[in-house]
Every structure is written in structure tokens, then in C-alpha cells.
């Protein structure tokens, strides 16, 4: 039973928005492109794991995706947490191709691909740390001591795993069903009663905290370096023009009434979660105060202030469900 669904990570959404709004000639364009590719690969790996989980998980397995919980003054994040009345299982997902060697001497994962070596953090140490932090979190919330298991799940079929010793906690995704059956057999005595299980589930959801990430700051990019205007959802070019109540692309002549919503989402993802009429006009390249006022009013967004001082809140979840991908998205 899925208690918290997996959604596109906020970091992925922000990186996609940044690449849409960054000129191809910008010195940081390639760096952002590489980071976006990593983020997409990670999310793709998590989605492929969900297929395996959903195919065998029963109603006794409570599934939480992308949990970010507080630990002292910091946070720790788990790709997937399976909760049962007898044990908890943390799944750390890795979507990495190539020949992968687990180096226990220096605690690192080394990938050899096309004759090149790349070093990654040790995923076993990573998931082990998550188990420790989760145990401390359970103590804070006064949840009875319950066994915590963990697995590093390799979702890429082109990953060849190598190690000097057996690593039962590192598996391919196809072996997950067998491992889950093994845990179910090993932990066959309930530790958490129905009431405690319900409390744990509720506490996990309440404590889950979205990460605040400023991608412009991460790449040292100023907002003035971004491409403004409404992007055409058909050809991907900037900038559409407002003509007789619609947005028209001067390049491909595509017409769309709702194209400005994607620009608002980009603004919220990259700059800030609020906007004034003046900022709206500047970012969308609109000259008319009244047109901007009417477009914002039609969205029925929460706002503070009156008339010229009005500030509209741009929570992504409050915007209508208008999805647009640029031509280079996948």
C-alpha cells in the first residue's frame, strides 16, 4: 500500500526549468546539462524500482517514497522506505551502468566504463547511515524498537557488480522480490500493533520536509542571465506574443491560451514563490498592466496587499495542471 507516492523531485524540476531558461552559449550551460542528466537518471532508476515493488508488495507493506526527515539540526533522505508491523526496510536506489567495483579499503564505488574510471560515494555507507538516523528518529518519536534492514538496489541492467567479498545488501532490482520474502520469513512476529503502526505512518508523513534548493545560487547564475518570455510549447522557442487573448509563436505560428502558466512555474522554481504585476510583466515580456492583472486574477492565486502593492503567491501546487516539456526534455 503506497502511503507516499513518488513524484518528480523538486531538484529535477528546477534543473529542467534552469536549462530551459539558460542561453545555450552560457558558460554554465554544459555543467547544468550534466547535473540534469544525473538527476533524470536517478529518478528513472527509482521509477523502474517502483515497478518491481508494486508487482509484489502486499497491503501489509506500507510504502513511502522520497522521505526527508529531520535528524538533530540536519535532514536525511531515503529513496524508499517499506514499513511493516515486524520490520522496516530502507531502499537506496542507484541507476549506474558499467563495471562497478565496491572498494572497501577506501569506502568508495568505482565505475569503469569505456576505459574511464569514475568514483562515487560508497552506497553501503550511505544506506547504513540512513538506518542509524532512522533509528534515532524513531526514538525521538517514541516508536518501539523495530528491526531496520537496508538494501542498495542497482536498477541499471548494464551494471556489472564486483567486490572482494560478498555483499548481500547490494542487489539488482530483479532480486528484490526474493529479498523481501526472506525478510518476511525472518521477521514473522509483529512488533508494532495497529495503533503504533498508524502512529508511525502519520508521523513519517508529518515529519517529511521538502528540500529548499536555490539552483541559481548553486551554479552562481544571476536571474538577469535567464531568458525571459513565454516559451512556445510546440517548437520550444522564445518568446510568444500576446495576441487577442491568446499566445502566438512568431516562429511556428502555434497558438495557446495557457502558455503563460509554464512561465509562471519557471519563475516560481527559479526565482521566488511570489510575484507582483510588475515582475509578471517583466518576466513574460508583457507591456499591458491590465492584461497582466487579468491573467493573474484568472488564476485565483492567494495574495496579499491591494492594487499596486499586491503580491501573488506562486506555490507550484496551486497552479493549474498544465504540463509542458521543452524539445530537449525526456
Amino acid at each position: 500500500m503506497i502511503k507516499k507516492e513518488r513524484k518528480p523531485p523538486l531538484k529535477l524540476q528546477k534543473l529542467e526549468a534552469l536549462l530551459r531558461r539558460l542561453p545555450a552559449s552560457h558558460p554554465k550551460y554544459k555543467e547544468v546539462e550534466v547535473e540534469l542528466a544525473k538527476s533524470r537518471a536517478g529518478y528513472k532508476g527509482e521509477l523502474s524500482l517502483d515497478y518491481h515493488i508494486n508487482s509484489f508488495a502486499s497491503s501489509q507493506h506500507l510504502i513511502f517514497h522520497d522521505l526527508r526527515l529531520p535528524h538533530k539540526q540536519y535532514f536525511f533522505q531515503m529513496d524508499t522506505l517499506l514499513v511493516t508491523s515486524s520490520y522496516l526496510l530502507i531502499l537506496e536506489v542507484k541507476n549506474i551502468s558499467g563495471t562497478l567495483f565496491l572498494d572497501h579499503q577506501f569506502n568508495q564505488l568505482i565505475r569503469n566504463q569505456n576505459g574511464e574510471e569514475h568514483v562515487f560515494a560508497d552506497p553501503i555507507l550511505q544506506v547504513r547511515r540512513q538506518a542509524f538516523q532512522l533509528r534515532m528518529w524513531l526514538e525521538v518519536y517514541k516508536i518501539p524498537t523495530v528491526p531496520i534492514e537496508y538494501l542498495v538496489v542497482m536498477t541499471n541492467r548494464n551494471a556489472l557488480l564486483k567486490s572482494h567479498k560478498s555483499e548481500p545488501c547490494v542487489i539488482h532490482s530483479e532480486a528484490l522480490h526474493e529479498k523481501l520474502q526472506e525478510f518476511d520469513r525472518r521477521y514473522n512476529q509483529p512488533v508494532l500493533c495497529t495503533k503504533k503502526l498508524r502512529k508511525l505512518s502519520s508521523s513519517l508523513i508529518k515529519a517529511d520536509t521538502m528540500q529548499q534548493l536555490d539552483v541559481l545560487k548553486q551554479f552562481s547564475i544571476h536571474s538577469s542571465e535567464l531568458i525571459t518570455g513565454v516559451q512556445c510549447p510546440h517548437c520550444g522557442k522564445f518568446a510568444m506574443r500576446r495576441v487577442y487573448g491568446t499566445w502566438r509563436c512568431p516562429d511556428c505560428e502555434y497558438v495557446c491560451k495557457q502558455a503563460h502558466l509554464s512561465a509562471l512555474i519557471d519563475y516560481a522554481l527559479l526565482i521566488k514563490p511570489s510575484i507582483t504585476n510588475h515582475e509578471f510583466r517583466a518576466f513574460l515580456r508583457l507591456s499591458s498592466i491590465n492584461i497582466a492583472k487579468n491573467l493573474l486574477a484568472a488564476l485565483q492565486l492567494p495574495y496579499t496587499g491591494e492594487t499596486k502593492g499586491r503580491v501573488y503567491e506562486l506555490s507550484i501546487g496551486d497552479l493549474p495542471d498544465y504540463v509542458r516539456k521543452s524539445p530537449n526534455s525526456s
Side-chain angles (χ1 to χ4, degrees):
M1 181 187 299
I2 298 178
K3 303 296 288 186
K4 182 176 184 285
E5 294 184 356
R6 192 184 307 283
K7 297 180 180 180
L10 186 60
K11 178 182 179 180
L12 174 59
Q13 296 179 56
K14 287 179 177 255
L15 288 171
E16 287 181 335
L18 179 56
L19 202 65
R20 281 194 294 268
R21 296 277 168 181
L22 203 61
S25 59
H26 195 281
K28 294 293 181 70
Y29 188 91
K30 186 63 179 179
E31 187 179 342
V32 175
E33 197 173 38
V34 170
E35 189 66 22
L36 175 57
K38 291 179 183 177
S39 187
R40 281 179 177 159
Y43 182 54
K44 183 179 179 181
E46 292 170 2
L47 290 178
S48 67
L49 176 67
D50 294 348
Y51 167 78
H52 293 281
I53 295 175
N54 296 336
S55 64
F56 58 73
S58 69
S59 60
Q60 305 303 313
H61 300 102
L62 306 183
I63 305 169
F64 300 81
H65 294 305
D66 292 325
L67 280 174
R68 185 171 180 265
L69 305 177
H71 175 62
K72 297 183 178 179
Q73 69 267 41
Y74 302 105
F75 292 87
F76 67 101
Q77 190 160 349
M78 296 173 285
D79 291 336
T80 296
L81 175 66
L82 269 65
V83 175
T84 74
S85 60
S86 304
Y87 70 95
L88 310 182
L89 173 61
I90 302 173
L91 302 178
E92 175 63 24
V93 185
K94 297 297 179 186
N95 182 16
I96 308 174
S97 61
T99 301
L100 309 178
F101 177 71
L102 290 162
D103 181 359
H104 300 287
Q105 181 179 358
F106 298 104
N107 297 119
Q108 58 188 356
L109 175 67
I110 302 173
R111 176 177 71 177
N112 194 307
Q113 189 174 46
N114 300 324
E116 296 184 1
E117 282 191 342
H118 300 271
V119 178
F120 299 84
D122 187 340
I124 300 176
L125 282 184
Q126 185 179 356
V127 73
R128 213 178 266 161
R129 189 182 307 115
Q130 292 170 6
F132 170 79
Q133 292 167 319
L134 179 58
R135 192 169 288 112
M136 297 299 101
W137 184 89
L138 292 172
E139 289 182 6
V140 172
Y141 280 80
K142 299 185 176 1
I143 304 296
T145 302
V146 58
I148 299 177
E149 291 287 351
Y150 52 83
L151 293 171
V152 175
V153 186
M154 297 294 183
T155 59
N156 197 305
R157 293 184 178 181
N158 296 318
L160 175 61
L161 297 173
K162 291 187 176 182
S163 177
H164 287 317
K165 64 178 183 179
S166 175
E167 290 294 353
C169 69
V170 182
I171 63 171
H172 278 286
S173 52
E174 288 79 5
L176 184 57
H177 188 190
E178 183 179 341
K179 292 294 291 187
L180 191 61
Q181 289 180 321
E182 177 187 324
F183 292 139
D184 286 343
R185 289 192 298 267
R186 186 187 307 170
Y187 303 106
N188 54 19
Q189 296 299 319
V191 176
L192 302 173
C193 65
T194 303
K195 183 178 179 181
K196 290 291 185 182
L197 198 58
R198 193 180 299 118
K199 176 188 175 182
L200 173 57
S201 177
S202 176
S203 298
L204 287 169
I205 295 297
K206 288 181 180 178
D208 182 43
T209 306
M210 183 181 294
Q211 183 179 14
Q212 300 302 317
L213 175 66
D214 186 342
V215 290
L216 294 184
K217 184 177 180 180
Q218 178 184 348
F219 293 98
S220 300
I221 297 171
H222 193 271
S223 59
S224 62
E225 300 174 69
L226 301 177
I227 301 172
T228 57
V230 175
Q231 185 181 29
C232 176
H234 185 256
C235 71
K237 293 186 178 179
F238 291 92
M240 299 183 85
R241 296 169 183 165
R242 189 72 181 173
V243 181
Y244 299 117
T246 64
W247 295 97
R248 183 180 296 274
C249 178
D251 289 278
C252 69
E253 298 297 323
Y254 183 77
V255 175
C256 179
K257 286 189 175 182
Q258 305 296 325
H260 59 286
L261 297 181
S262 289
L264 273 176
I265 291 174
D266 286 351
Y267 186 93
L269 289 169
L270 297 174
I271 300 177
K272 60 177 180 173
S274 65
I275 196 167
T276 64
N277 185 297
H278 175 75
E279 291 166 337
F280 181 83
R281 284 181 283 124
F283 194 73
L284 275 68
R285 300 188 196 174
L286 268 176
S287 58
S288 173
I289 295 178
N290 288 329
I291 290 178
K293 178 182 177 181
N294 292 336
L295 287 173
L296 287 167
L299 294 175
Q300 298 182 335
L301 298 170
Y303 64 84
T304 57
E306 297 296 333
T307 59
K308 292 183 179 180
R310 184 168 293 182
V311 178
Y312 299 87
E313 296 178 21
L314 288 179
S315 172
I316 300 300
D318 291 335
L319 293 171
D321 185 21
Y322 176 78
V323 180
R324 181 268 293 122
K325 287 189 175 182
S326 60
N328 62 347
S329 295
S330 61

